[in-house]
Amino acid sequence: MRSTRMVSSVLLLVLMQSGALCARRFRGGRNPQPRRAPPSPTHRADRGDTTESFPLDFTAVEENMDNFMTQVKNLAQSLYPCSAQKLDYDMKLNFLKNTSVTCNDGSPAGYYLKESRGSRRWLIFLEGGWYCFNKENCDSRYETMRRFMSSSKWPQTKTGTGILSPLPEENPHWWNANMVFIPYCSSDVWSGATAKTEQNFYAFMGSLIIQEVVKDLLNKGLDNAKVLLLAGSSAGGTGVLLNVDAVAELLEGLGHTGIQVRGLSDSGWFLDNKQYQCTDCGDTAACAPTETIKRGFKYWGAVVPERCRQTHEGEEWNCFFGYRVFPSIKSPVFVVQWLFDEAQLTVDNIQLTGQPVQEGQWRYIQNLGTELRNTLKDVPAMFAPACLSHELITRNYWIDVQVKGTSLPRALHCWDRSLQDNRNNKAPPKACPVHLIDSCPWPHCNPTCPTIRDQFTGQEMNVFQFLMHMGFDVQKMAQQQGMDPSKLLGMLSSGS
């Protein structure tokens, strides 16, 4: 009897401590989530996974208290997802089993993984980081940005941020998913399928890396997934558009027809527009978007979606531009795109630092926003703030930016619900928007845009200071908008 009372007391104490730990973690979060119930014993048995079953041997209590306490802690861990072991939030490095699929320099490709037992949702993130399109600028990239071409110095762990964060206050709807981060080491916008040989000094195997990661993950629980979200930023965002259907087809071909594959493309919706000033195609940043991709497409041995390839036969490089490839994509895709994307402006030879911009540049910037809006109007699920920035979903401020009063995490949650309701033949949820695009005409006219700092003083600038810094002519702009200059200044100052 005394042993039983002691067991009960110890068990209650440990569980209370675990519960307190959870409470501390959730306290103060923006959108606290209810704790998920652990998977049922039947579910665990189906997967042959016995690591979450913790029988207690009460006969060993008095003889071996340390062993008993270990068992109690294991039980508490199975009941509370944020207990001791779950405090290890880092994703851990894994190299591909197929060693023939490599980074540019022939070093092994791989991925970072943080499993979330009991969750059937998987998020696979493709890193961005520009590209190179000939031996000269690939050599330069290897000297200055080697981590984007080699795995030789990758750290053993990586901490997720934004939509990869395991914290519900930073990641309200995806915090408990299985997180996978694939480092970008192929320099080919995740499109290549060319091995390193004596003739090819560099390997370009981005599309194959994605395929091999998915195959490896099937042995780590992906086989039991309900939803797989293929996400990416910048070059990774374009990589999502190029690969999301291929991932769906791969899983279907391997017999995993129950996994719903979706895409989330962040800052990868580039335009093949005319540069503000044409320059020689000497380096990646100065080269016109179309010329870069034309050269890269051949150099990488790139693979594009079959339906898009057929549409643009002979000019398959067109499939790297979002508005051209999107109509051919069968999988659901959510597009996140700043209307005034810094990377787009860079390749268009618009520099927004240093001297105030000229009137022609200012007009070009406004036209860019208009062009982007036009290409996005038929995208059913999207989030497009009128901000000057690049990349969003892995930034720690991603929950703060809003379009028409809706944050990106909220919009993604609405999208998720609408897809589920569509599968179940239900009406889409009301007051849950998924098509969000700013209508104001200039950079940072949205008051929730990320902070801009003066590059010389380091001080934060509000939208009015920023526009003045860019050479904004209040009198002329007020005249164009048909309003009094003082009213326009008031609107800018208040962030309207």
Side-chain angles (χ1 to χ4, degrees):
M1 180 67 71
R2 193 179 66 143
S3 295
T4 303
R5 285 199 299 269
M6 180 178 67
V7 168
S8 301
S9 300
V10 171
L11 182 58
L12 179 62
L13 177 61
V14 172
L15 294 182
M16 287 176 64
Q17 288 175 337
S18 298
L21 176 62
C22 282
R24 286 198 298 272
R25 174 171 152 187
F26 281 97
R27 192 175 297 127
R30 294 171 180 267
N31 291 290
Q33 302 293 304
R35 286 191 289 270
R36 308 283 177 90
S40 66
T42 303
H43 176 71
R44 288 195 294 267
D46 289 344
R47 288 191 51 196
D49 186 351
T50 60
T51 56
E52 288 190 288
S53 177
F54 302 104
L56 288 175
D57 181 7
F58 288 99
T59 62
V61 174
E62 294 184 345
E63 290 79 12
N64 191 342
M65 180 57 71
D66 290 340
N67 179 59
F68 173 72
M69 287 302 297
T70 299
Q71 293 182 63
V72 173
K73 287 180 181 178
N74 286 340
L75 174 61
Q77 178 180 306
S78 73
L79 295 176
Y80 289 92
C82 51
S83 58
Q85 185 174 332
K86 294 294 182 178
L87 288 176
D88 184 5
Y89 296 142
D90 287 344
M91 297 177 282
K92 294 179 173 56
L93 177 61
N94 298 260
F95 288 111
L96 294 180
K97 291 180 179 179
N98 185 349
T99 56
S100 67
V101 176
T102 70
C103 298
N104 289 131
D105 67 347
S107 58
Y111 58 95
Y112 291 86
L113 168 65
K114 187 190 78 67
E115 296 179 67
S116 180
R117 300 203 174 186
S119 174
R120 298 181 65 193
R121 298 203 300 169
W122 287 72
L123 194 159
I124 299 178
F125 180 83
L126 308 179
E127 186 183 24
W130 290 94
Y131 41 77
C132 58
F133 55 84
N134 59 37
K135 187 175 184 303
E136 290 70 31
N137 56 45
C138 284
D139 286 344
S140 175
R141 179 180 174 89
Y142 192 70
E143 290 301 315
T144 59
M145 305 170 68
R146 188 163 301 184
R147 79 172 187 87
F148 288 116
M149 300 182 75
S150 173
S151 64
S152 60
K153 293 188 178 180
W154 285 354
Q156 289 301 305
T157 61
K158 181 174 286 288
T159 301
T161 55
I163 200 170
L164 292 172
S165 171
L167 303 176
E169 58 267 30
E170 185 176 344
N171 188 12
H173 304 297
W174 278 88
W175 65 273
N176 199 33
N178 297 275
M179 302 294 189
V180 181
F181 179 98
I182 313 182
Y184 184 39
C185 67
S186 57
S187 308
D188 57 1
V189 198
W190 297 97
S191 69
T194 304
K196 180 179 178 181
T197 64
E198 291 183 3
Q199 291 75 31
N200 301 321
F201 192 78
Y202 294 109
F204 297 99
M205 309 185 83
S207 66
L208 299 181
I209 290 171
I210 297 171
Q211 300 266 317
E212 292 301 318
V213 169
V214 171
K215 291 177 187 177
D216 281 10
L217 292 174
L218 287 171
N219 295 319
K220 296 180 181 291
L222 180 63
D223 60 320
N224 192 51
K226 182 178 179 181
V227 174
L228 189 164
L229 181 64
L230 182 66
S233 294
S234 193
T238 307
V240 169
L241 301 174
L242 294 174
N243 289 279
V244 64
D245 277 351
V247 169
E249 290 162 9
L250 171 66
L251 290 170
E252 185 176 351
L254 294 173
H256 301 285
T257 56
I259 303 175
Q260 303 167 36
V261 178
R262 304 167 185 171
L264 172 59
S265 174
D266 168 30
S267 302
W269 189 277
F270 292 102
L271 299 181
D272 52 350
N273 58 344
K274 186 178 179 180
Q275 291 177 299
Y276 176 68
Q277 288 182 330
C278 295
T279 56
D280 293 334
C281 202
D283 61 69
T284 305
C287 194
T290 50
E291 190 60 34
T292 300
I293 297 302
K294 283 181 184 178
R295 298 185 186 194
F297 182 80
K298 293 180 180 178
Y299 191 57
W300 305 325
V303 177
V304 297
E306 179 60 22
R307 292 175 66 192
C308 188
R309 188 194 69 77
Q310 292 175 0
T311 302
H312 298 283
E313 193 167 357
E315 295 184 329
E316 292 87 352
W317 51 268
N318 278 298
C319 298
F320 282 76
F321 297 99
Y323 76 100
R324 294 190 184 275
V325 69
F326 188 82
S328 70
I329 298 175
K330 293 183 288 185
S331 304
V333 175
F334 192 107
V335 174
V336 178
Q337 186 64 45
W338 303 108
L339 290 181
F340 304 95
D341 188 275
E342 287 178 316
Q344 179 76 57
L345 288 169
T346 297
V347 297
D348 288 341
N349 287 322
I350 292 286
Q351 304 299 327
L352 297 180
T353 55
Q355 297 298 317
V357 298
Q358 300 172 352
E359 183 178 347
Q361 291 174 309
W362 176 247
R363 201 160 47 240
Y364 185 96
I365 293 167
Q366 285 188 288
N367 288 339
L368 173 64
T370 301
E371 286 183 57
L372 265 168
R373 282 189 194 90
N374 290 336
T375 65
L376 290 167
K377 65 180 185 296
D378 295 326
V379 177
M382 51 159 296
F383 186 86
C387 306
L388 174 69
S389 194
H390 185 61
E391 302 189 1
L392 177 58
I393 61 175
T394 58
R395 306 300 191 195
N396 57 11
Y397 52 75
W398 84 298
I399 61 175
D400 299 321
V401 180
Q402 296 184 3
V403 175
K404 298 177 181 177
T406 300
S407 69
L408 178 53
R410 170 67 176 166
L412 288 173
H413 180 57
C414 290
W415 179 56
D416 187 54
R417 285 180 58 191
S418 68
L419 293 175
Q420 287 300 116
D421 289 344
N422 187 51
R423 288 175 64 89
N424 298 326
N425 296 317
K426 293 182 180 179
K430 295 180 179 179
C432 211
V434 297
H435 184 88
L436 295 157
I437 184 166
D438 269 334
S439 55
C440 55
W442 48 74
H444 266 59
C445 54
N446 180 328
T448 68
C449 287
T451 299
I452 291 182
R453 294 184 179 274
D454 187 296
Q455 71 171 87
F456 299 111
T457 66
Q459 293 181 332
E460 293 185 6
M461 292 189 288
N462 61 32
V463 64
F464 174 66
Q465 293 169 326
F466 167 66
L467 292 175
M468 292 295 289
H469 173 77
M470 289 178 61
F472 178 79
D473 188 328
V474 176
Q475 190 78 28
K476 189 167 187 177
M477 182 57 69
Q479 187 177 5
Q480 289 177 356
Q481 299 296 321
M483 63 175 66
D484 184 81
S486 60
K487 182 179 179 182
L488 178 59
L489 282 173
M491 291 175 63
L492 290 174
S493 299
S494 64
S496 301

